[in-house]
Amino acid sequence: MPAETASERGRQTRQRLVAAAIELIPEVGWAAVTTRRVAERAGVRPGLVHYHFDSVASLLTTAAVEFAREALGTPLRELRAASDPADGLVRLLAALDAYDGRDPGSLLMIEATLAATRDAALRAAFAELLDDFRADVAEWLTGHAVPDAAECAALLCALLDGIVLHRGLSQTPDARSLAGPLGRLLAAPAPTDERSPR
């Protein structure tokens, strides 16, 4: 019983450290998150940060990946609840309502994406999450007879990210109002490979 209690305490401490990092990344920026700041926010001794994680970078990667996994789960659940591709598109766009580009979640993902350009472990972890998400979207599209499902999934994922990024910089149309124009765009005939004569 005491071993289980100690194990449970350790698990809770680790989770508090991850939660503290998730809060701090958007507040102070990726590079400004320190052992002292995380420990202070989590209400633990600084030594416990390095007891549970090899480095601050390892903690930040864990925090960003856990947050991203949860954040991607919401639009995926919305998509799976949709009856057809048009409804799925509306639901995916509506899932963006939680992000205005300046909220803590958006800022965390922006900070983490930038950090991933310099951190191979973080880049690999994010790439795996993104690949899995795109594969899930493509599988759903395939099940609804959407042609070029993998390519459509890649476009939809890039669109969702782009909308959030643009919101942080300037006014953008409401995500739901984009469903109609996007649906029309996706329904447009594909360009041919034929080259017009000069």
Side-chain angles (χ1 to χ4, degrees), residues 5 20 39 45 49 70 74 86-87 98 108 169 184 190:
T5 303
R45 296 186 321 275
V49 175
E70 181 61 33
T74 300
D87 183 36
L108 186 150
L169 300 172
R184 288 189 290 281

Side-chain angles (χ1 to χ4, degrees), residues 45-100:
R45 296 186 321 275
L48 285 174
V49 175
H50 293 286
Y51 175 80
H52 289 280
F53 296 94
D54 293 338
S55 63
V56 172
S58 172
L59 167 59
L60 292 176
T61 295
T62 300
V65 168
E66 284 191 17
F67 178 85
R69 184 176 289 117
E70 181 61 33
L72 290 172
T74 300
L76 196 55
R77 285 189 294 275
E78 287 298 319
L79 184 66
R80 287 176 173 156
S83 55
D84 57 52
D87 183 36
L89 187 56
V90 169
R91 285 171 175 267
L92 275 178
L93 291 169
L96 296 183
D97 285 348
Y99 305 101
D100 66 12

Side-chain angles (χ1 to χ4, degrees), residues 2-166:
E4 290 177 359
T5 303
S7 173
E8 178 62 20
R9 273 199 311 268
R11 190 193 65 73
Q12 289 174 0
T13 298
R14 187 179 192 281
Q15 199 49 48
R16 286 210 318 261
L17 293 169
V18 170
I22 288 172
E23 289 176 8
L24 285 166
I25 292 166
E27 284 179 25
V28 302
W30 190 273
V33 178
T34 63
T35 299
R36 182 185 58 75
R37 279 184 159 151
V38 171
E40 187 176 281
R41 180 64 59 94
V44 301
R45 296 186 321 275
L48 285 174
V49 175
H50 293 286
Y51 175 80
H52 289 280
F53 296 94
D54 293 338
S55 63
V56 172
S58 172
L59 167 59
L60 292 176
T61 295
T62 300
V65 168
E66 284 191 17
F67 178 85
R69 184 176 289 117
E70 181 61 33
L72 290 172
T74 300
L76 196 55
R77 285 189 294 275
E78 287 298 319
L79 184 66
R80 287 176 173 156
S83 55
D84 57 52
D87 183 36
L89 187 56
V90 169
R91 285 171 175 267
L92 275 178
L93 291 169
L96 296 183
D97 285 348
Y99 305 101
D100 66 12
R102 294 174 301 276
D103 62 279
S106 296
L107 294 176
L108 186 150
M109 292 304 295
I110 291 166
E111 288 280 341
T113 301
L114 181 59
T117 65
R118 298 180 187 94
D119 182 322
L122 178 60
R123 184 168 54 252
F126 263 32
E128 184 178 348
L129 279 177
L130 183 57
D131 289 346
D132 289 347
F133 183 72
R134 282 196 299 232
D136 288 338
V137 172
E139 181 182 1
W140 187 87
L141 291 170
T142 299
H144 287 80
V146 174
D148 304 316
E151 291 80 2
C152 286
L155 282 170
L156 282 172
C157 293
L159 172 77
L160 297 176
D161 287 342
I163 289 172
V164 174
L165 285 173
H166 284 211

